[in-house]
Amino acid sequence: MKGPLKRVLITGSNGLLGQKLVELFSHLHSFQILLTSRQERSVFDHEALRYVRADITKRPEIKAVIEEFEPEIIVHTAAVTNVDLCETDRETAWRVNVTGVEHIVQTAKLTGSKLIHVSTDYVFDGRTGPYAESDRPNPVSYYGRTKLASENIVATSGIPHAIARTMVLYGTGYSVKANFALWLLGELSAGKPVRIVDDQFGNPTLADDLAYAILKIIELDRTGIYHVAGPDFVSRYEFALALAKVFAFDKKLITPVKTASLKQPAVRPLRSGFVTLKTQVDLGAKLSGIDQGLTIFRHQIESRLKEEQQNA
């Protein structure tokens, strides 16, 4: 005899990670999911995938959704992740990344929901990476500060919770914002030369793998912090070369540069990276290296193009 379905609310369901979670959870028969984002419509045109629009910065909106659905689990993926935008529009960054989390936590206390909160390597300064979960955060950008503030809200909330930190997240989805790999793919496809930094290091992470790790956190009822990232510690330049190889682009289009030469508004952690032993051992999650991950990414792009051509 099957038990009752576990109710899971996914915020930011129209974003890259949100979409991967929806695709994963909708194929499992032990979950009842509710999708929410601030857009009017869901990117999924499927009757079985219930969607309710809600803006997390407006407490009454997100409170109504949580109280009506009474989720056992809330997976919170909604955030402003544009690092330079966070630096130049601090009010919006704080309102979404911090105040929005406060609103979710306040209502989760009332409904007894567990919160899975997605965070970032930008909570560290990038001087001594790769970092373990026990290392002391020290953000150098406003984005990093908002994400650390949101982590602290979750950690001191008194509700059951887990924090999944990730980095250099890439993948494809319906109308998703351009992550590093998607942007690079667009530029190289058009034959445009690109300048890529060779002094920023981290672990590129396929969004599908992060979604799977979050599923394991839920299934195994884990709490605490998890560093979820791919196994390869590389520079952005090395990652770009790997993408060019997988997609058979001309590597001569890619020129290495230093971060300082780009004069970006936000400071970047240069030597970041994660120690992922806890994720591997505790969750049994094996994440894709860059060659495998980019090959999966390529197949997904190709199948999406076929789908679009058939629907045209």
Side-chain angles (χ1 to χ4, degrees), residues 105 108-109 112-115 151-161:
V105 163
K109 279 183 182 175
S113 308
K114 178 178 180 177
L115 179 61
E151 283 191 16
N152 290 338
I153 288 163
V154 173
T156 58
S157 64
I159 62 173
H161 66 270

Short mmCIF file of all heavy atoms in Angstrom, two decimals, residues 105 108-109 112-115 151-161:
data_model
loop_
_atom_site.label_atom_id
_atom_site.label_comp_id
_atom_site.label_asym_id
_atom_site.label_seq_id
_atom_site.Cartn_x
_atom_site.Cartn_y
_atom_site.Cartn_z
N VAL A 105 10.34 31.83 5.09
CA VAL A 105 10.63 31.24 6.41
C VAL A 105 9.49 31.50 7.39
O VAL A 105 9.08 30.59 8.13
CB VAL A 105 11.98 31.79 6.95
CG1 VAL A 105 12.10 31.55 8.45
CG2 VAL A 105 13.15 31.15 6.21
N ALA A 108 6.69 29.20 6.47
CA ALA A 108 7.09 27.80 6.64
C ALA A 108 7.00 27.39 8.12
O ALA A 108 6.70 26.24 8.44
CB ALA A 108 8.51 27.58 6.12
N LYS A 109 7.24 28.35 9.00
CA LYS A 109 7.10 28.08 10.45
C LYS A 109 5.65 27.72 10.78
O LYS A 109 5.38 26.84 11.59
CB LYS A 109 7.49 29.32 11.26
CG LYS A 109 8.98 29.49 11.46
CD LYS A 109 9.24 30.72 12.33
CE LYS A 109 10.74 30.94 12.48
NZ LYS A 109 11.03 32.17 13.23
N GLY A 112 4.83 24.23 9.13
CA GLY A 112 5.71 23.12 9.50
C GLY A 112 6.48 22.55 8.32
O GLY A 112 6.83 21.37 8.30
N SER A 113 6.75 23.40 7.34
CA SER A 113 7.45 22.94 6.13
C SER A 113 8.96 22.93 6.33
O SER A 113 9.51 23.79 7.02
CB SER A 113 7.13 23.87 4.95
OG SER A 113 5.74 24.04 4.78
N LYS A 114 9.62 21.96 5.70
CA LYS A 114 11.08 21.94 5.66
C LYS A 114 11.52 22.76 4.45
O LYS A 114 10.88 22.71 3.39
CB LYS A 114 11.58 20.50 5.51
CG LYS A 114 13.10 20.37 5.42
CD LYS A 114 13.51 18.91 5.33
CE LYS A 114 15.02 18.76 5.23
NZ LYS A 114 15.42 17.33 5.22
N LEU A 115 12.61 23.52 4.59
CA LEU A 115 13.08 24.39 3.51
C LEU A 115 14.42 23.91 2.97
O LEU A 115 15.37 23.70 3.73
CB LEU A 115 13.21 25.83 4.04
CG LEU A 115 13.72 26.88 3.04
CD1 LEU A 115 12.78 27.01 1.85
CD2 LEU A 115 13.90 28.23 3.72
N GLU A 151 21.21 32.74 3.94
CA GLU A 151 21.61 31.49 4.62
C GLU A 151 21.44 31.63 6.14
O GLU A 151 20.95 30.71 6.81
CB GLU A 151 23.08 31.17 4.34
CG GLU A 151 23.36 30.57 2.98
CD GLU A 151 24.79 30.04 2.88
OE1 GLU A 151 25.43 29.87 3.94
OE2 GLU A 151 25.25 29.79 1.76
N ASN A 152 21.85 32.77 6.67
CA ASN A 152 21.77 33.00 8.12
C ASN A 152 20.32 33.03 8.60
O ASN A 152 20.00 32.55 9.69
CB ASN A 152 22.49 34.30 8.51
CG ASN A 152 24.00 34.17 8.36
OD1 ASN A 152 24.54 33.07 8.38
ND2 ASN A 152 24.68 35.29 8.18
N ILE A 153 19.44 33.60 7.77
CA ILE A 153 18.01 33.62 8.11
C ILE A 153 17.48 32.19 8.20
O ILE A 153 16.76 31.83 9.14
CB ILE A 153 17.21 34.43 7.06
CG1 ILE A 153 17.51 35.93 7.20
CG2 ILE A 153 15.71 34.18 7.18
CD1 ILE A 153 17.11 36.75 5.99
N VAL A 154 17.85 31.38 7.22
CA VAL A 154 17.40 29.97 7.20
C VAL A 154 17.99 29.20 8.38
O VAL A 154 17.28 28.47 9.09
CB VAL A 154 17.79 29.30 5.86
CG1 VAL A 154 17.47 27.81 5.89
CG2 VAL A 154 17.07 29.98 4.69
N ALA A 155 19.29 29.39 8.62
CA ALA A 155 20.00 28.63 9.66
C ALA A 155 19.49 28.94 11.07
O ALA A 155 19.54 28.08 11.95
CB ALA A 155 21.50 28.89 9.57
N THR A 156 19.01 30.17 11.29
CA THR A 156 18.56 30.58 12.62
C THR A 156 17.03 30.57 12.75
O THR A 156 16.48 31.04 13.74
CB THR A 156 19.07 32.00 12.97
OG1 THR A 156 18.60 32.93 11.98
CG2 THR A 156 20.59 32.04 13.01
N SER A 157 16.35 30.03 11.74
CA SER A 157 14.88 30.10 11.69
C SER A 157 14.18 29.15 12.64
O SER A 157 13.03 29.36 13.00
CB SER A 157 14.40 29.80 10.26
OG SER A 157 14.73 28.45 9.92
N GLY A 158 14.88 28.07 13.01
CA GLY A 158 14.24 27.06 13.85
C GLY A 158 13.42 26.05 13.07
O GLY A 158 12.89 25.10 13.65
N ILE A 159 13.33 26.22 11.74
CA ILE A 159 12.61 25.23 10.93
C ILE A 159 13.61 24.20 10.39
O ILE A 159 14.79 24.51 10.23
CB ILE A 159 11.83 25.88 9.76
CG1 ILE A 159 12.80 26.59 8.78
CG2 ILE A 159 10.78 26.85 10.25
CD1 ILE A 159 12.13 27.09 7.52
N PRO A 160 13.16 22.97 10.13
CA PRO A 160 14.09 22.00 9.52
C PRO A 160 14.51 22.52 8.14
O PRO A 160 13.69 23.04 7.38
CB PRO A 160 13.25 20.72 9.40
CG PRO A 160 11.83 21.14 9.59
CD PRO A 160 11.82 22.41 10.34
N HIS A 161 15.80 22.39 7.83
CA HIS A 161 16.28 22.99 6.59
C HIS A 161 17.55 22.31 6.10
O HIS A 161 18.27 21.66 6.87
CB HIS A 161 16.55 24.48 6.79
CG HIS A 161 17.68 24.75 7.73
ND1 HIS A 161 17.48 24.90 9.09
CD2 HIS A 161 19.03 24.86 7.53
CE1 HIS A 161 18.65 25.09 9.68
NE2 HIS A 161 19.61 25.08 8.76
#
